[in-house]
């Protein structure tokens, strides 16, 4: 039976390091699903530091779309999996079609939200069909002020809905603040 763990926190809160420590405690075959697209020097450096910190025997899967399609095969190779991170995955899915979400009609925005939600719904379903210990990492972006521009509000709303969905379907949940994990579920 699978075990889903949800780890959230603010930027540079220590959430990825904490999630990695949960995986290391399992001391088994670990997979790492990297959802970022390193498009600038800052992001490339962040990815480099994450890679450097991870054990060399972890298997890395670089994917952000249709992650659910690889879960069955990943579960044959790994016992523990960490996905880092939900919010980057949401971002990449939002911009997948080379469009600007702020130019979409309400109906088109609903279709985009439905598509993204469906990606996570299928992912959770596939994980539940395995025995994986699966750790999701995400950014808690809903604790600040409501963004001033439409695109940022669309992103915050979509990411918030996905975070709520994954957290509600998790077996455990942690909030990491200043490097200190607090179990919230």
């Amino acid at each position: 039976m699978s075990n889903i763990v949800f780890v959230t926190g603010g930027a540079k809160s220590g959430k990825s390091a904490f999630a990695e420590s949960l995986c290391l405690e399992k001391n088994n075959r670990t997979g790492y699903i990297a959802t970022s697209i390193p498009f600038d020097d800052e992001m490339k450096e962040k990815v480099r530091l994450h890679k450097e910190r991870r054990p060399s025997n972890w298997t890395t899967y670089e994917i952000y779309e249709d992650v659910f399609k690889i879960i069955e095969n990943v579960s044959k190779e790994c016992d523990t999996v960490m996905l880092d991170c939900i919010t980057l995955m949401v971002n990449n899915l939002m911009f997948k079609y080379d469009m600007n979400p702020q130019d979409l009609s309400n109906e088109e925005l609903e279709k985009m939200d439905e598509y993204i939600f469906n990606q996570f719904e299928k992912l959770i379903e596939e994980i539940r069909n395995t025995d994986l210990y699966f750790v999701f990492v995400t950014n808690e972006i809903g604790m600040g002020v409501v963004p001033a521009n439409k695109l940022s509000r669309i992103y915050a709303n979509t990411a918030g809905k996905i975070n709520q969905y994954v957290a509600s379907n998790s077996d455990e949940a942690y909030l990491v603040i200043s490097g200190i994990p607090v179990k919230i579920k």
Side-chain angles (χ1 to χ4, degrees), residues 145-157:
V145 297
V146 175
N149 69 67
K150 182 178 178 182
L151 179 57
S152 296
R153 286 191 304 274
I154 291 167
Y155 174 71
N157 289 338

Side-chain angles (χ1 to χ4, degrees), residues 96-112:
K96 177 186 180 292
Y97 296 107
D98 196 28
M99 62 180 177
N100 187 344
Q102 70 183 9
D103 294 334
L104 299 178
S105 68
N106 285 340
E107 183 178 285
E108 290 169 320
L109 281 172
E110 285 177 23
K111 284 183 182 178
M112 182 189 73

Side-chain angles (χ1 to χ4, degrees), residues 35 64 67 83 85-93 120 123:
T35 63
Y64 70 86
V67 177
L83 183 144
C85 81
I86 290 172
T87 45
L88 282 174
M89 187 172 162
V90 167
N91 179 77
N92 295 339
L93 292 169
F120 284 91
L123 178 54

Side-chain angles (χ1 to χ4, degrees), residues 139-169:
N139 288 286
E140 181 51 60
I141 59 174
M143 296 176 88
V145 297
V146 175
N149 69 67
K150 182 178 178 182
L151 179 57
S152 296
R153 286 191 304 274
I154 291 167
Y155 174 71
N157 289 338
T158 302
K161 289 180 215 173
I162 297 301
N163 280 346
Q164 288 181 53
Y165 176 75
V166 175
S168 70
N169 283 280

Side-chain angles (χ1 to χ4, degrees), residues 29-40:
R29 302 174 308 154
T30 301
Y32 183 95
I33 298 174
T35 63
S36 72
I37 300 171
F39 54 86
D40 63 17

Side-chain angles (χ1 to χ4, degrees), residues 6-19 46 84-87 136-144 155 159 163 167 173-182 184:
F6 181 82
V7 177
T8 189
K12 303 304 285 177
S13 64
K15 61 194 173 295
S16 291
F18 172 69
K46 185 174 182 173
D84 197 356
C85 81
I86 290 172
T87 45
F136 282 97
V137 177
T138 193
N139 288 286
E140 181 51 60
I141 59 174
M143 296 176 88
Y155 174 71
N163 280 346
Y174 296 88
L175 173 62
V176 181
I177 303 167
S178 301
I180 301 169
V182 178
I184 55 177

